[in-house]
Amino acid sequence: FVLDGAGRVTLPLIGEIQGTGLSAPQLQDAVADALRQGYLTQPRVTAQVLTYRPIYILGEVNRPGEYPYVPDLTVLNAVATAQGFTYRANTRRVFVRRAGSQIEEAQPLTADAHVSPGDTLRIGERYF
């Protein structure tokens, strides 16, 4: 079953379950709890994410644009996906706007800087 546009999943016997804001294990527990209430004694439910929101890479990269998110994505991996930095890129910091936020935050560009689904990354220009 797939979540609809409102973040709900409709299942036989139990009806609608709200999935927005829940992780896959939390959704599993919610569905299992609903099935336990009068239908099954020991339900086994599995939930997994099939597709994530894309990320966006802007600024001083060779191919700015929209790219698919993959789990454990770092800023450096995202830049590599966009075919690397341009010669003018500031390789010391990145500007990140998290999904749902209007604020862009400057962060040091390190090997372990993680990206979340729906993030927008902007690689700035260096001056010297």
Side-chain angles (χ1 to χ4, degrees), residues 9-25:
V9 61
T10 304
L11 300 167
L13 303 176
I14 58 175
E16 287 185 352
I17 300 283
Q18 186 65 36
T20 302
L22 299 178
S23 65

Side-chain angles (χ1 to χ4, degrees), residues 33-45:
D33 288 342
L35 287 169
R36 250 185 235 105
Q37 296 175 8
Y39 296 104
L40 300 171
T41 56
Q42 293 180 335
R44 285 191 244 162
V45 177

